[in-house]
Each structure stands twice: as C-alpha cells, then as structure tokens.
Amino acid sequence: MTHVEKSTCRSCAAYCPVDVAIEKGKVVKVEGNHDAPLYNGFICPKGRALTAMHNNPARLKTHLKRQPDGSFAPISSAQLVAEVSEKIAAIIADRGPRAVAAYLGSPGLDHQALGPMMTRFMSAIGSPNLFNNGTIDQPGLMIAPALHGTWAGGRMHPDTLDVFMLFGGNPVISKQYFAQHPGNQLKKLTNSGMKLIVIDPRRTETARRAAVHLQCIPGEDPTIIAGLIHLIIEMGAVDQSFVARNAQGLEQLAAAVRDFTPAYVAERAGIDAGSLREAAQIIATARRGDFGSGTGPSMATRGTLMAYLMFCLQTLRGFWAEEGDTAVMPRVLFPLQQFKAQPNPPYPGWGFGVKMRVRDLQQTAAGMPTGALPEEILMPGEGQIKALFLHGGAMVTWPQEALVKEALQALDLLIVHDVELSTTASMAHYIIATKVSFEIPVMTQINELLSLFHPGYGWVEPYGAYQPALFDPPADFDVLEAWQIYYRVAQRLGLQLEYPSFIDLLGIAAKDAPAESDIPLKHRMDMEREPSTDELYEMMCEGSVVPLSTVKQYPSGHLFDEARQVVGPRDPDCTARLELANPVMLEELADIRAEAVAERRKTDADYPFLFISRRIQNSTNAVSSTDRSVLHKPYNPAYMNPEDLARLGLASGDRVEISSRHGSIIGFVEAENDLRRGVLSMTHGFGKKPGDDYDPKRDGANVNRLTSWTDDYDRYNGMPRMSAIPISVKPFAE
Ligand SMILES: Nc1nc2c(c(=O)[nH]1)N[C@H]1C(S)=C(S)[C@@H](COP(=O)(O)OP(=O)(O)OC[C@H]3O[C@@H](n4cnc5c(=O)[nH]c(N)nc54)[C@H](O)[C@@H]3O)O[C@H]1N2
Ligand SMILES: Nc1nc2c(c(=O)[nH]1)N[C@H]1C(S)=C(S)[C@@H](COP(=O)(O)OP(=O)(O)OC[C@H]3O[C@@H](n4cnc5c(=O)[nH]c(N)nc54)[C@H](O)[C@@H]3O)O[C@H]1N2
Ligand code: SF4
Ligand SMILES: [Mo]
C-alpha cells in the first residue's frame, strides 16, 4: 500500500512543499504539493530526485574513521563522540580555543538546529573561528546595508511594482528572489505591467522576460549602476522629498558619478548607450520599484560597492515601502518586527570583532572571512587553526582547490559531516554520517532567517510550514543529525551550552517586542538529557509571532493572516539618515573611473576570454557530488557562444583545456546562443579529487582550479574573484 505524507524539499532555499509517496517504509515518489499556498505545486528535477537520494545505495550507514594506512573504518556514534571530545580537549589545552574552527555551508538548510547549536558550542569553548559560506557568496549584500543604513519599512511589495531590476541573478533557475515557482511569478508580474530590467552577460531564462536586458561584459556592474545613478540625477528623477527627509550625501554621490556618462559606461561595459538610457527611463518613470542582485556581480569582485550603489539608487528613487503599505516578509516563526517608514542609521560594516592573522582580513557584517581560513590553517604560530568541523563541499566549492587540499591535510583534526563519501569527506579524519532530509523535521524558520540577511530569500507573504520527520534511518544505520556532535562533545567536556534561541542569538526581539512580553533572555540547556530536534525547534522559535504549535496544525503550510503587518508611520523624533556618500565606497568608485580597464580586467592575448559563474537546474552547489547520476546530468558543460566556438574551430561536445593564471581544467564545450561573446560560463560544485583522473562529461570539472584566494580579493571580507576570470580556451589533445 502506498500512502502520501507532506514534507518540504530542502535541496535549495526555495523550500518547495512536497507530497512524498511511501511504500513499505521507502520513498517511491516525490511530487509537488498542490494544496500548499504560493507554490502552485511546483517542484524542479532535484525535488523529484529526492526519491533516488533517499534510496541512494552509496549513502553512508555509519561514521568512518581514517586509519593509519589512509583507509576508512566504521566507528560507532559513542566511540566517535568519545574520540572527538578527547582530541578537541587536547587541542584546546595545548593551543587554546582559537585552534578550533567550524565552517557552516549549505547543509544548514537540511539541519536547521545545526547553526544555533554550533554557535553555542563555539562560544562555550571560547573560539571566535566560526565561518560560513556567506563570505564566498554575496557578502556585499550584508555589508552594504551597514554602510548605507536600512529602511525600517522594508521593501515594496512585488505585486505593486512598476519595475524590478536584477543584477546577475537568475531566479528561474536559482530561486533566489521570487522563490516560489519563479517562472510563474515573473510571468504573472510582467504580464500585469511590472517591467523587468536584467543585467547579465547571458540572456538567461529570467532575462527573456526583461523589458531591457543589458548583456554586459562581466565585472562592470558598479560601472553600470554608477551610470544609472548619473542618468537619474541628470534626468531630474531623484525623489527630492524622500531624499531630503531620509538621506544625506547626495551632492558627493552626484560628484562621484559625474564622469560615468552613458557613452563612457556603454563603451566600458560593452552595452548600448540607448539601452542604458531606456533602463534609466523605466526607473525614472516608475512610481514603485525594487532592485536585487545575485552571485554574478558579487563574484566578479567589488561586490560590496555594487550592492552599496544599488541601495543608493533605490534610495534616490524612494523605492522603499511607504507608510500604510502591506509589509513584505513579516515575521512568522520569529518574534515581532514592527515596520516603520523611516531609516535605520548605518552601523559598522567592519572594524569590530576579530582580526585575522593573514592579509589584514577581518570579521565583517557578513561574518568571519572564509577567505582567510585555509591560510589560517597553514600559517604556523599563535592562533593557528588545528581542528575544523566542516559542513560543506569545500574541496569543490571553495576557491583554489590546491590550497584547500593542502590546508585540510595540514589539520590535526578534520571532522566532515556527509551523507556519502564525497571528495571533501574523503579528506577527513572522521566522517560523521548524517540523516537525510525526510529523516529530519522541517520548518520554515531558516528561510525567514536568511531573509534577514538577503532580500532574495524567505516569503513575501506570512507563510509558515512545519512537517515532522517522516522516517527513522534504517535499523542497521548508525547516523547522527548534524547538531548532535556539538551537544554531545559539550556534554562530555562538561561545558554548559546556552539555549539556541534566536532572541539571544540575534538580539532581534529585545527592542521590537511589545513591552509586556516577558521573554526570558538567558537560558541554560539541559546538559543531562539530550533534547529532540523538535524540542530544539521549539526553543529556536521562542517568542515567535505564530507559535510553532499553531504552524504545526497546517501540514501543507499556511498564510497566517494574524502575522500580517502594515508599515507604520515614522517616529516623530527619528533623525536617522541613509548614507549616500560612504567615503570608502566613493573612493573605490573613483578608483574604478581612474583605472585602466584592461589592466583591471586582466584579459590579454594569452587569456582572452572571461570565465563566469552560473547555476544549472540539476544541481545545487556540491550536493551529491559522488552520485549525481540521481540527477540525470552529472556534469557541468562549458557553455560558449557559437561564434566563439567557430572561431576556435570547436563544436559542441569537444573537449577543451580551460586555463586561468592559477590553474587548468578539462571541460567540454556546449554552444549557447544566449551567451555574450568572449565569455565562458560554467557551474561550480563538480569535480574529483586533485590527481584523480576525470572525464568532464561523466564527472564534471572543478572550476575552483581556476580561482585563487589572493586574486583581487575584497580587502575586508576576503572574497576573491570567482567570476570574470581571464582564461584561455584551447582544444584538448587527448
Ligand atoms: N567557483 C565558484 N565557487 C563557488 C560558487 C560559485 O558560484 N562559483 N558559489 C559559492 C556559493 S554561493 C556557495 S553558497 C558555496 C556553497 O558551498 P558549501 O558551503 O560548501 O555548501 P554545499 O556545497 O552546498 O555543501 C553541500 C555538501 O556538503 C556535504 N554535506 C555535509 N553535511 C551534509 C548533510 O547533512 N547532508 C547533505 N546532503 N550533504 C552534506 C555534502 O558533501 C554536500 O555535497 O559555494 C561557493 N563556491
Ligand atoms: N539550481 C540551483 N539553484 C541554486 C543553487 C544551485 O547551485 N543550483 N545555489 C543556491 C545558492 S548557494 C545561491 S547563492 C543562489 C544564487 O542565485 P543566483 O545568483 O541567481 O545564481 P545564478 O543562476 O548563478 O545567477 C548568476 C548570474 O550572474 C551572471 N553573471 C556572472 N558574472 C556576472 C557579472 O560579472 N555581472 C553580471 N551582471 N552578471 C554576471 C550569470 O550569467 C548568471 O546568470 O542560488 C541558489 N539556488
Ligand atoms: S526548487 Fe527544486 S531543489 Fe529547490 S526546493 Fe524546490 S524542488 Fe527542491
Ligand atoms: Mo550561495
């Protein structure tokens, strides 16, 4: 007999609701849940592939311990916890707590209790070295709000927009922005009059819906935004009353963009000046608008400046929610946030917290710089990192694979969580076998959390969902949930952990919560009796607008009207202002205007092409890198414009050697008409271990052999050049 249970796909942050058909305790089919609001039953191929992923024959059944000869042998949970505890204690005793580091990547989407527990564990041992993927992703979107200030009323509701402008993102594939069935949402919005402006070297699935598509040379986003600001000022389209009340620095900003004339910008960014003017015209005449950016421009260096200028342009047009507007992304599983039509002042983007020993990198508003981590492991001396808890696909997702390998090998203790023996897991001293999605309860809080840092995540409407774990792992498995190692090691070391409540972790409730609320601010975890994941979720949702117990009553998810908020009036005594002229940002902009473009871009006769990042529907980052067969397309083609291919005497399916100044990979090319000439576009997250033979058409290739941590890195957050990388492309002689 088959029965159907409700759950949620966690293979990307879209969190699509699914119907899971189960037969004899096994997943037999996964489909979209048509009863769920907002999604229209949508799922992508990775959602359907959950069936195969749950029945993955390569799945780790037990934890593994590296043996002296390099092979792996099973180890029980109890023994694992005992050995890891002993080693961590010894490292702390010998080298101090900073020697212990942790990295949290996308597996946090599956394991929601992981982030809070890891954070508590790291503070209990006294180590600041907690890194995450934010600093190799879009850190600028977290730092720019600090430099510009934020709008306490939030963004304008998508249904009310005249224009949405997107720099280097592709929601139809990535589901970053318009995450619930993005194709459908964009179609509806553009059909009902919203004009879409897309800036991307590729005519993406999203760009096809655009009123204006600026098919730019990669890495020129700050130039283009400066050009748009120039035009908006020149056209007299600055919302003067909004700016007068809410911002400062217009004159300096105007001076800084004066020389970014349409002719200059068009020439430099390889776009048509008329199209740039057309985009400016749409923005100038729109009454309501919103802007977003994705990974492309962030990775093409200067991501902070790009995001900063984007916020400035948004402020110049007054494109922030007005008093009386329906607030977007109201809290559901977090404590109440009051929306007000007023600015929150800027706050430090860097210059606080922890300084790294390498390259003057430091903690920023985007967290600790992952760009410093490999060197911090390799550099001897006080403060050297000796142990690392790793949740992610570092060997293929971190830049400069060779240095990552060297660093991981240099550790005294590398603990990698995984569901299979991936390229990254195979580097570890201990591999912790973890539960897979449907063995873990799921709730929507994590995306609400992400929306606090990135406007492209979460739900515009007050959506909430929770579903319980559907299965226990098979009886012969000995696996853990990702948070458990932190609790159990703390327990063995006699450490007291704090409660994983977000009220404390983010300090979000304290100022916004109604005065009468008596939310207790400090809690001690019970270190005798291990909580269940569900109990942890209760703790994490403490003080939420909608109690988790209420959300649990709706297995298909629900829009909670009681959570809806309206943007309130400005406080009479509000004097905060949004900053249009952050000196560091304007200085960087001046550098751009002064620099020799070719020198900066670094293309020349030897490296004539630009390599750019992109996502494909069939894979999320490093997920399932050893057994991608479940996803039908186990490789990452090297997409190029057919004219470029012809010029190089290549045809689709040919093997090529792709080289940057840092390394080479073998790829195979596929013609893509939609790509700008002179660029090659390829997805990360693929590839085998260095030294292993690979067939690009079977295994894919690791594009992070082309990157380097020290290539044009952001001077504060350390993010290196990961898109717009100069490369050569040559036929590969077998
Ligand atoms: N060149 C280049 N590099 C990039 C990017 C790029 O565009 N270009 N993108 C960057 C971005 S935006 C990000 S967010 C990072 C993401 O990179 P990471 O932060 O490393 O995260 P993932 O690759 O998503 O991590 C998934 C992997 O973690 C392991 N894993 C650990 N625990 C679990 C678990 O409990 N369950 C499962 N299923 N797997 C687990 C599995 O091996 C899985 O493949 O990559 C970055 N790297
Ligand atoms: N299917 C799928 N979905 C995912 C992921 C995945 O791996 N697969 N990863 C998830 C993660 S971790 C993230 S962070 C999000 C990312 O979400 P997005 O940022 O929307 O991801 P991409 O689809 O890579 O879009 C980046 C776009 O930038 C363009 N681009 C590259 N260089 C430049 C440049 O210099 N300037 C401009 N303007 N554009 C440029 C590329 O052509 C590409 O279309 O997606 C998430 N969703
Ligand atoms: S878009 Fe695909 S991978 Fe992402 S949550 Fe939905 S079904 Fe899963
Ligand atoms: Mo990401």
Side-chain angles (χ1 to χ4, degrees):
M1 262 304 285
T2 308
H3 73 286
V4 173
E5 299 274 3
K6 305 288 175 197
S7 191
T8 298
C9 175
R10 296 147 241 187
S11 294
C12 85
Y15 256 47
C16 299
V18 292
D19 283 345
V20 185
I22 299 167
E23 220 172 85
K24 297 196 191 110
K26 274 202 144 188
V27 181
V28 292
K29 195 171 192 180
V30 176
E31 292 181 296
N33 172 355
H34 286 267
D35 299 332
L38 302 177
Y39 288 85
N40 292 104
F42 172 83
I43 57 168
C44 82
K46 283 174 294 170
R48 284 184 283 275
L50 284 170
T51 315
M53 291 179 96
H54 273 75
N55 304 318
N56 179 1
R59 183 171 167 202
L60 294 176
K61 295 178 171 182
T62 62
H63 317 300
L64 297 173
K65 178 186 178 183
R66 177 184 294 283
Q67 304 300 302
D69 69 355
S71 66
F72 285 104
I75 178 172
S76 71
S77 286
Q79 188 63 22
L80 168 89
V81 171
E83 291 188 16
V84 169
S85 303
E86 195 187 309
K87 291 190 168 153
I88 291 288
I91 288 170
I92 294 174
D94 188 28
R95 315 279 310 207
R98 272 189 80 150
V100 179
Y103 171 86
L104 177 59
S106 324
L109 277 180
D110 245 319
H111 299 267
Q112 299 203 27
L114 166 61
M117 286 298 278
M118 205 173 180
T119 309
R120 291 314 196 196
F121 175 81
M122 293 299 278
S123 51
I125 64 170
S127 172
N129 281 328
L130 177 53
F131 299 84
N132 68 68
N133 51 3
T135 42
I136 49 170
D137 189 335
Q138 297 152 90
L141 280 179
M142 285 182 262
I143 299 172
L147 308 181
H148 182 63
T150 58
W151 187 249
R155 288 167 182 266
M156 289 181 160
H157 196 291
D159 289 348
T160 69
L161 297 180
D162 301 315
V163 61
F164 185 84
M165 176 161 63
L166 180 58
F167 289 85
N170 187 17
V172 174
I173 296 301
S174 71
K175 291 94 191 170
Q176 184 177 276
Y177 299 100
F178 311 100
Q180 303 81 37
H181 199 341
N184 227 24
Q185 273 202 66
L186 284 169
K187 186 171 165 192
K188 250 173 63 188
L189 290 169
T190 49
N191 282 352
S192 62
M194 183 188 86
K195 291 217 163 86
L196 185 63
I197 300 171
V198 173
I199 294 86
D200 198 307
R202 181 180 156 234
R203 188 171 148 82
T204 58
E205 293 80 352
T206 306
R208 279 175 217 150
R209 297 227 144 260
V212 177
H213 172 208
L214 302 176
Q215 197 162 1
C216 58
I217 296 172
E220 293 300 343
D221 300 272
T223 318
I224 294 171
I225 309 178
L228 289 170
I229 295 176
H230 172 108
L231 279 168
I232 291 299
I233 293 173
E234 188 185 83
M235 294 158 98
V238 172
D239 182 338
Q240 294 291 353
S241 81
F242 182 90
V243 170
R245 259 193 320 157
N246 298 303
Q248 63 188 23
L250 176 57
E251 272 172 41
Q252 291 103 301
L253 178 64
V257 299
R258 189 165 299 136
D259 293 337
F260 287 84
T261 59
Y264 173 77
V265 171
E267 160 76 22
R268 177 167 174 162
I271 55 176
D272 167 44
S275 304
L276 185 72
R277 283 188 186 278
E278 205 186 325
Q281 187 65 32
I282 291 173
I283 295 165
T285 51
R287 233 183 36 79
R288 298 177 66 90
D290 193 16
F291 305 155
S293 70
T295 47
S298 167
M299 291 183 176
T301 77
R302 295 173 164 152
T304 305
L305 178 63
M306 178 272 303
Y308 180 76
L309 293 174
M310 191 176 75
F311 288 133
C312 288
L313 181 53
Q314 201 153 343
T315 293
L316 291 183
R317 289 294 300 128
F319 285 167
W320 300 108
E322 296 167 354
E323 182 182 343
D325 278 359
T326 302
V328 302
M329 299 185 177
R331 303 282 183 268
V332 177
L333 285 175
F334 274 110
L336 184 70
Q337 180 199 353
Q338 275 163 1
F339 293 84
K340 290 177 188 171
Q342 68 181 47
N344 291 318
Y347 49 95
W350 52 72
F352 55 86
V354 182
K355 280 237 164 29
M356 303 275 81
R357 298 176 306 151
V358 300
R359 294 189 276 128
D360 279 334
L361 300 179
Q362 53 181 286
Q363 188 175 356
T364 68
M368 294 283 276
T370 296
L373 184 47
E375 288 156 89
E376 285 287 341
I377 294 170
L378 289 167
M379 186 197 270
E382 181 145 353
Q384 187 176 11
I385 291 170
K386 290 287 184 182
L388 177 65
F389 289 93
L390 175 59
H391 302 260
M395 284 295 291
V396 288
T397 58
W398 290 4
Q400 200 177 349
E401 181 202 45
L403 194 78
V404 174
K405 181 184 175 195
E406 199 184 325
L408 296 186
Q409 280 178 333
L411 287 161
D412 287 349
L413 180 62
L414 174 62
I415 299 155
V416 177
H417 284 66
D418 216 320
V419 293
E420 53 187 14
L421 192 57
S422 67
T423 311
T424 303
S426 66
M427 305 293 295
H429 298 102
Y430 293 92
I431 304 172
I432 303 186
T434 71
K435 293 187 178 179
V436 291
S437 297
F438 297 147
E439 295 164 356
I440 305 166
V442 59
M443 60 175 176
T444 45
Q445 190 195 40
I446 184 98
N447 316 69
E448 257 186 89
L449 177 67
L450 294 176
S451 76
L452 302 178
F453 304 108
H454 190 301
Y457 292 105
W459 292 269
V460 168
E461 302 294 328
Y463 175 79
Y466 161 93
Q467 294 100 13
L470 303 183
F471 304 98
D472 283 328
D476 58 334
F477 278 45
D478 178 14
V479 299
L480 287 173
E481 231 184 275
W483 62 266
Q484 286 178 298
I485 191 72
Y486 302 102
Y487 180 87
R488 290 188 188 177
V489 170
Q491 202 176 32
R492 262 191 100 92
L493 298 183
L495 297 169
Q496 174 63 54
L497 293 185
E498 268 181 71
Y499 211 72
S501 155
F502 277 102
I503 289 176
D504 260 2
L505 277 166
L506 293 174
I508 38 177
K511 62 180 182 338
D512 290 331
E516 66 273 16
S517 94
D518 58 350
I519 294 158
L521 283 180
K522 288 261 181 238
H523 303 272
R524 305 177 137 238
M525 289 264 319
D526 181 346
M527 297 306 292
E528 298 289 317
R529 191 192 65 84
E530 183 171 306
S532 67
T533 301
D534 277 307
E535 284 168 332
L536 287 174
Y537 285 6
E538 288 290 347
M539 298 176 199
M540 288 156 62
C541 292
E542 185 188 17
S544 62
V545 171
V546 183
L548 183 58
S549 55
T550 307
V551 174
K552 285 182 178 179
Q553 289 163 22
Y554 301 90
S556 291
H558 188 69
L559 297 178
F560 292 93
D561 283 325
E562 64 268 41
R564 286 189 197 280
Q565 294 284 320
V566 170
V567 178
R570 179 192 188 90
D571 287 338
D573 57 353
C574 171
T575 54
R577 294 195 166 255
L578 301 171
E579 180 58 67
L580 295 169
N582 177 279
V584 180
M585 294 290 104
L586 294 197
E587 199 185 302
E588 202 178 339
L589 189 59
D591 291 345
I592 290 183
R593 190 59 180 80
E595 75 196 359
V597 181
E599 249 167 63
R600 166 72 193 187
R601 203 172 277 157
K602 296 186 186 148
T603 40
D604 58 20
D606 293 334
Y607 299 97
F609 290 95
L610 285 173
F611 173 98
I612 60 169
S613 60
R614 64 105 63 69
R615 273 146 186 79
I616 47 180
Q617 185 75 293
N618 280 338
S619 78
T620 305
N621 302 327
V623 168
S624 197
S625 53
T626 56
D627 190 10
R628 273 219 173 80
S629 53
V630 302
L631 294 171
H632 309 302
K633 196 176 182 183
Y635 50 82
N636 51 346
Y639 294 101
M640 291 186 81
N641 183 288
E643 285 181 38
D644 285 336
L645 288 181
R647 216 154 37 87
L648 294 172
L650 291 165
S652 279
D654 283 352
R655 269 155 218 263
V656 289
E657 181 169 14
I658 303 162
S659 306
S660 74
R661 292 184 177 88
H662 314 293
S664 292
I665 52 172
I666 311 300
F668 76 97
V669 288
E670 217 166 284
E672 188 175 55
N673 278 312
D674 291 324
L675 209 51
R676 186 187 166 91
R677 286 183 53 181
V679 300
L680 180 150
S681 145
M682 204 167 166
T683 303
H684 70 291
F686 290 81
K688 296 180 87 171
K689 267 209 303 200
D692 287 359
D693 271 349
Y694 65 97
D695 173 353
K697 200 146 187 180
R698 186 190 61 216
D699 313 308
N702 182 359
V703 303
N704 278 316
R705 288 185 190 176
L706 303 173
T707 52
S708 160
W709 289 107
T710 50
D711 184 3
D712 266 335
Y713 61 91
D714 180 287
R715 72 197 244 217
Y716 300 109
N717 67 52
M719 175 144 158
R721 191 185 278 248
M722 293 163 73
S723 192
I725 302 166
I727 51 160
S728 65
V729 183
K730 302 207 167 91
F732 176 64
E734 304 279 335

